[in-house]
Amino acid sequence: NSAALEVLALALTDARRAGRRDLEARILGQEGNALARSGQAELGLKAGREALSIAIEGAFTGAAVEVLHRLADTLEHCGDFLGARAAYADAFELCEETGPAAFACRACVTVPLYQNGAWDRAASECRVVLTSPHAPATRERLQGRRRGAVEA
């Protein structure tokens, strides 16, 4: 994990040197997530929140969605499932505005929903993902796999 943090530090320097605030936000979001996953929760949350500020101030919607996703994962690793749920919901709203990637946000939000006892809502979101034409594994492919498994 320290190697990843070293690479992210170099990338952050390059992004800042190039004046690429959108990349700076994305890199800080990754750094925050890596820090939290390595046990440095407070530093990870600080970096993630800074990344989100940059993305929002710069109106970098794609970066904001990515940062929210990473911040939500960071919050999950810190045990803040309600905060993670809110961050995933915010990412989902932005995803819906920016295209078909919203199904991925729905898939991620199911974890904190489930962990917070919102099982029906988690199951509902899973069904939406499975029936989305944008999902990598569509219902038809899943049904085909089941048939093949039964026939085998």
Side-chain angles (χ1 to χ4, degrees):
N1 208 10
S2 63
L5 289 169
E6 288 175 25
V7 171
L8 287 169
L10 292 172
L12 185 59
T13 299
D14 287 346
R16 286 178 173 158
R17 192 174 303 136
R20 293 288 308 271
R21 298 285 283 166
D22 59 322
L23 292 178
E24 182 179 351
R26 290 175 192 265
I27 294 163
L28 278 170
Q30 288 180 331
E31 180 181 64
N33 197 229
L35 285 166
R37 284 175 170 259
S38 68
Q40 300 176 65
E42 288 305 314
L43 287 176
L45 287 170
K46 182 180 175 187
R49 289 181 178 129
E50 181 183 352
L52 186 57
S53 273
I54 292 168
I56 290 171
E57 287 171 13
F60 306 123
T61 305
V65 169
E66 181 181 327
V67 168
L68 277 166
H69 181 264
R70 293 188 189 286
L71 185 57
D73 185 73
T74 297
L75 289 163
E76 279 185 56
H77 278 81
C78 295
D80 183 357
F81 299 114
L82 292 176
R85 179 177 170 181
Y88 281 127
D90 289 345
F92 175 69
E93 283 183 34
L94 286 174
C95 280
E96 269 192 331
E97 295 173 14
T98 60
F103 79 90
C105 292
R106 284 185 184 270
C108 290
V109 80
T110 61
V111 174
L113 284 171
Y114 180 82
Q115 290 171 329
N116 284 289
W119 301 307
D120 291 340
R121 173 98 190 274
S124 174
E125 295 297 338
C126 285
R127 280 190 289 283
V128 170
V129 170
L130 289 173
T131 60
S132 170
H134 303 292
T138 62
R139 181 188 299 191
E140 292 77 26
R141 281 188 264 166
L142 287 173
Q143 288 173 342
R145 285 187 194 149
R146 283 189 208 131
R147 272 189 229 112
V150 171
E151 294 169 1

mmCIF file of all heavy atoms in Angstrom, residues 2 15 32 37 42 52 56-57 76 104 110 113 117 128 132 136 145 148 151-152:
data_model
loop_
_atom_site.group_PDB
_atom_site.id
_atom_site.type_symbol
_atom_site.label_atom_id
_atom_site.label_comp_id
_atom_site.label_asym_id
_atom_site.label_seq_id
_atom_site.Cartn_x
_atom_site.Cartn_y
_atom_site.Cartn_z
ATOM 1 N N SER A 2 2.042 1.204 0.612
ATOM 2 C CA SER A 2 2.921 2.373 0.615
ATOM 3 C C SER A 2 3.414 2.684 -0.790
ATOM 4 O O SER A 2 3.607 3.854 -1.133
ATOM 5 C CB SER A 2 4.092 2.176 1.573
ATOM 6 O OG SER A 2 4.892 1.088 1.160
ATOM 7 N N ALA A 15 -0.172 16.461 -11.533
ATOM 8 C CA ALA A 15 -1.479 17.059 -11.808
ATOM 9 C C ALA A 15 -1.487 18.526 -11.401
ATOM 10 O O ALA A 15 -2.007 19.385 -12.136
ATOM 11 C CB ALA A 15 -2.579 16.290 -11.083
ATOM 12 N N GLY A 32 -7.025 9.231 -0.472
ATOM 13 C CA GLY A 32 -7.826 9.140 0.736
ATOM 14 C C GLY A 32 -8.316 7.728 0.989
ATOM 15 O O GLY A 32 -8.263 7.219 2.111
ATOM 16 N N ARG A 37 -7.828 2.600 3.923
ATOM 17 C CA ARG A 37 -7.685 1.145 3.861
ATOM 18 C C ARG A 37 -6.402 0.673 4.550
ATOM 19 O O ARG A 37 -6.292 -0.491 4.894
ATOM 20 C CB ARG A 37 -7.719 0.674 2.408
ATOM 21 C CG ARG A 37 -9.121 0.690 1.840
ATOM 22 C CD ARG A 37 -9.106 0.334 0.355
ATOM 23 N NE ARG A 37 -10.448 0.132 -0.117
ATOM 24 C CZ ARG A 37 -10.999 -1.056 -0.292
ATOM 25 N NH1 ARG A 37 -10.316 -2.151 -0.052
ATOM 26 N NH2 ARG A 37 -12.232 -1.154 -0.728
ATOM 27 N N GLU A 42 -8.495 8.993 9.590
ATOM 28 C CA GLU A 42 -8.683 10.456 9.640
ATOM 29 C C GLU A 42 -7.999 11.148 8.462
ATOM 30 O O GLU A 42 -8.570 12.049 7.851
ATOM 31 C CB GLU A 42 -8.182 11.018 10.972
ATOM 32 C CG GLU A 42 -9.077 10.660 12.146
ATOM 33 C CD GLU A 42 -10.534 11.075 11.937
ATOM 34 O OE1 GLU A 42 -10.799 12.219 11.506
ATOM 35 O OE2 GLU A 42 -11.412 10.241 12.223
ATOM 36 N N LEU A 52 -13.336 16.076 -2.822
ATOM 37 C CA LEU A 52 -14.713 16.403 -3.158
ATOM 38 C C LEU A 52 -14.899 17.905 -3.302
ATOM 39 O O LEU A 52 -15.577 18.376 -4.226
ATOM 40 C CB LEU A 52 -15.667 15.829 -2.105
ATOM 41 C CG LEU A 52 -17.148 15.971 -2.407
ATOM 42 C CD1 LEU A 52 -17.510 15.323 -3.745
ATOM 43 C CD2 LEU A 52 -17.973 15.361 -1.276
ATOM 44 N N ILE A 56 -16.233 19.668 -6.722
ATOM 45 C CA ILE A 56 -17.461 20.466 -6.731
ATOM 46 C C ILE A 56 -17.178 21.910 -7.132
ATOM 47 O O ILE A 56 -17.878 22.482 -7.975
ATOM 48 C CB ILE A 56 -18.164 20.386 -5.355
ATOM 49 C CG1 ILE A 56 -18.729 18.979 -5.170
ATOM 50 C CG2 ILE A 56 -19.263 21.437 -5.240
ATOM 51 C CD1 ILE A 56 -19.258 18.688 -3.785
ATOM 52 N N GLU A 57 -16.137 22.491 -6.560
ATOM 53 C CA GLU A 57 -15.778 23.878 -6.899
ATOM 54 C C GLU A 57 -15.470 24.021 -8.380
ATOM 55 O O GLU A 57 -15.784 25.044 -8.983
ATOM 56 C CB GLU A 57 -14.593 24.337 -6.060
ATOM 57 C CG GLU A 57 -14.932 24.601 -4.610
ATOM 58 C CD GLU A 57 -13.699 24.855 -3.756
ATOM 59 O OE1 GLU A 57 -12.590 25.082 -4.305
ATOM 60 O OE2 GLU A 57 -13.845 24.808 -2.522
ATOM 61 N N GLU A 76 -17.147 3.520 4.675
ATOM 62 C CA GLU A 76 -17.453 2.136 5.035
ATOM 63 C C GLU A 76 -16.317 1.533 5.850
ATOM 64 O O GLU A 76 -16.546 0.863 6.855
ATOM 65 C CB GLU A 76 -17.672 1.281 3.785
ATOM 66 C CG GLU A 76 -19.027 1.399 3.179
ATOM 67 C CD GLU A 76 -19.202 0.447 2.030
ATOM 68 O OE1 GLU A 76 -19.014 -0.770 2.221
ATOM 69 O OE2 GLU A 76 -19.511 0.925 0.919
ATOM 70 N N ALA A 104 -23.863 1.336 -11.603
ATOM 71 C CA ALA A 104 -22.735 0.982 -10.744
ATOM 72 C C ALA A 104 -22.902 1.612 -9.357
ATOM 73 O O ALA A 104 -22.609 0.976 -8.344
ATOM 74 C CB ALA A 104 -21.421 1.430 -11.369
ATOM 75 N N THR A 110 -25.895 -0.773 -2.288
ATOM 76 C CA THR A 110 -26.577 -1.898 -1.644
ATOM 77 C C THR A 110 -25.852 -2.370 -0.380
ATOM 78 O O THR A 110 -26.501 -2.828 0.556
ATOM 79 C CB THR A 110 -26.747 -3.086 -2.608
ATOM 80 O OG1 THR A 110 -25.467 -3.536 -3.035
ATOM 81 C CG2 THR A 110 -27.618 -2.719 -3.788
ATOM 82 N N LEU A 113 -26.761 -0.070 2.535
ATOM 83 C CA LEU A 113 -28.194 -0.260 2.772
ATOM 84 C C LEU A 113 -28.421 -1.549 3.556
ATOM 85 O O LEU A 113 -29.134 -1.561 4.565
ATOM 86 C CB LEU A 113 -28.961 -0.316 1.449
ATOM 87 C CG LEU A 113 -29.192 1.003 0.731
ATOM 88 C CD1 LEU A 113 -29.769 0.755 -0.652
ATOM 89 C CD2 LEU A 113 -30.090 1.920 1.538
ATOM 90 N N GLY A 117 -29.687 -2.346 7.704
ATOM 91 C CA GLY A 117 -30.988 -2.976 7.908
ATOM 92 C C GLY A 117 -32.043 -2.633 6.882
ATOM 93 O O GLY A 117 -33.192 -3.030 7.030
ATOM 94 N N VAL A 128 -32.716 -3.621 -9.779
ATOM 95 C CA VAL A 128 -32.548 -2.574 -10.790
ATOM 96 C C VAL A 128 -31.234 -2.782 -11.540
ATOM 97 O O VAL A 128 -31.172 -2.678 -12.762
ATOM 98 C CB VAL A 128 -32.617 -1.163 -10.160
ATOM 99 C CG1 VAL A 128 -32.203 -0.099 -11.156
ATOM 100 C CG2 VAL A 128 -34.015 -0.881 -9.626
ATOM 101 N N SER A 132 -30.718 -3.724 -15.618
ATOM 102 C CA SER A 132 -30.234 -2.590 -16.398
ATOM 103 C C SER A 132 -29.578 -3.067 -17.687
ATOM 104 O O SER A 132 -28.742 -3.975 -17.670
ATOM 105 C CB SER A 132 -29.214 -1.789 -15.583
ATOM 106 O OG SER A 132 -28.575 -0.836 -16.415
ATOM 107 N N PRO A 136 -22.971 -5.030 -16.780
ATOM 108 C CA PRO A 136 -22.138 -5.999 -17.496
ATOM 109 C C PRO A 136 -22.734 -7.405 -17.523
ATOM 110 O O PRO A 136 -22.451 -8.167 -18.429
ATOM 111 C CB PRO A 136 -20.815 -5.985 -16.742
ATOM 112 C CG PRO A 136 -21.033 -5.216 -15.511
ATOM 113 C CD PRO A 136 -22.313 -4.455 -15.630
ATOM 114 N N ARG A 145 -26.745 -18.734 -17.799
ATOM 115 C CA ARG A 145 -25.782 -19.444 -16.950
ATOM 116 C C ARG A 145 -26.503 -20.451 -16.049
ATOM 117 O O ARG A 145 -26.027 -21.541 -15.828
ATOM 118 C CB ARG A 145 -25.007 -18.447 -16.091
ATOM 119 C CG ARG A 145 -23.972 -17.682 -16.864
ATOM 120 C CD ARG A 145 -23.146 -16.848 -15.925
ATOM 121 N NE ARG A 145 -22.399 -15.883 -16.704
ATOM 122 C CZ ARG A 145 -22.070 -14.688 -16.270
ATOM 123 N NH1 ARG A 145 -22.420 -14.294 -15.061
ATOM 124 N NH2 ARG A 145 -21.385 -13.870 -17.014
ATOM 125 N N GLY A 148 -27.498 -23.427 -18.062
ATOM 126 C CA GLY A 148 -26.329 -24.255 -18.352
ATOM 127 C C GLY A 148 -25.869 -25.043 -17.136
ATOM 128 O O GLY A 148 -25.486 -26.180 -17.224
ATOM 129 N N GLU A 151 -28.310 -27.935 -16.651
ATOM 130 C CA GLU A 151 -28.160 -28.969 -17.675
ATOM 131 C C GLU A 151 -26.880 -29.766 -17.485
ATOM 132 O O GLU A 151 -26.780 -30.909 -17.905
ATOM 133 C CB GLU A 151 -28.168 -28.324 -19.065
ATOM 134 C CG GLU A 151 -29.504 -27.700 -19.414
ATOM 135 C CD GLU A 151 -29.421 -26.840 -20.664
ATOM 136 O OE1 GLU A 151 -28.328 -26.759 -21.260
ATOM 137 O OE2 GLU A 151 -30.439 -26.248 -21.025
ATOM 138 N N ALA A 152 -25.867 -29.165 -16.875
ATOM 139 C CA ALA A 152 -24.561 -29.821 -16.752
ATOM 140 C C ALA A 152 -24.553 -30.953 -15.778
ATOM 141 O O ALA A 152 -25.256 -31.507 -15.173
ATOM 142 C CB ALA A 152 -23.511 -28.818 -16.309
#
